[in-house]
């Protein structure tokens, strides 16, 4: 798992509880997405709208518990962003 995945996960974990919820992912990408792209944390094309953020969350939520662990998250973003 990449260092970039860890940086992105930590940036999206707004309450710093070590997991991500759908609201955190959508809200954080909405507010921080352009800055994260400018910093090279995510590709510019990776900054989409709320539907794209929700789709990313759903793809990563392998066990369907509506909470993402770092491992679930990293497996999807590493593959999707080519890290």
């Amino acid at each position: 798992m990449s260092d970039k995945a860890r940086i992105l996960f930590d940036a999206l974990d707004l309450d710093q509880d070590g997991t991500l919820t759908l609201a955190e992912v959508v809200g954080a990408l909405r507010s921080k997405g352009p800055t994260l792209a400018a910093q090279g944390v995510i590709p510019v094309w990776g900054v989409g709208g709320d539907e794209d953020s929700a789709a990313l969350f759903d793809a990563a939520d392998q066990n369907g518990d509506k909470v993402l662990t770092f491992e679930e998250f990293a497996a999807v973003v590493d593959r999707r962003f080519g890290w």
Side-chain angles (χ1 to χ4, degrees):
M1 291 176 211
S2 72
D3 291 338
K4 285 187 176 185
R6 172 51 74 186
I7 292 166
L8 180 56
F9 184 89
D10 291 344
L12 300 179
D13 187 9
L14 299 177
D15 63 5
Q16 300 178 340
D17 68 350
T19 62
L20 299 175
T21 64
L22 177 60
E24 278 180 306
V25 171
V26 170
L29 285 174
R30 185 184 310 134
S31 65
K32 296 180 175 185
T35 301
L36 293 170
Q39 294 171 342
V41 176
I42 57 175
V44 173
W45 57 264
V47 179
D50 292 355
E51 289 181 15
D52 294 325
S53 299
L56 175 68
F57 181 92
D58 290 341
D61 188 16
Q62 294 296 310
N63 63 4
D65 67 353
K66 306 294 183 200
V67 175
L68 298 183
T69 63
F70 172 69
E71 290 76 16
E72 287 176 309
F73 179 79
V76 169
V77 298
D78 279 347
R79 185 174 56 249
R80 183 166 290 185
F81 296 149
W83 295 333

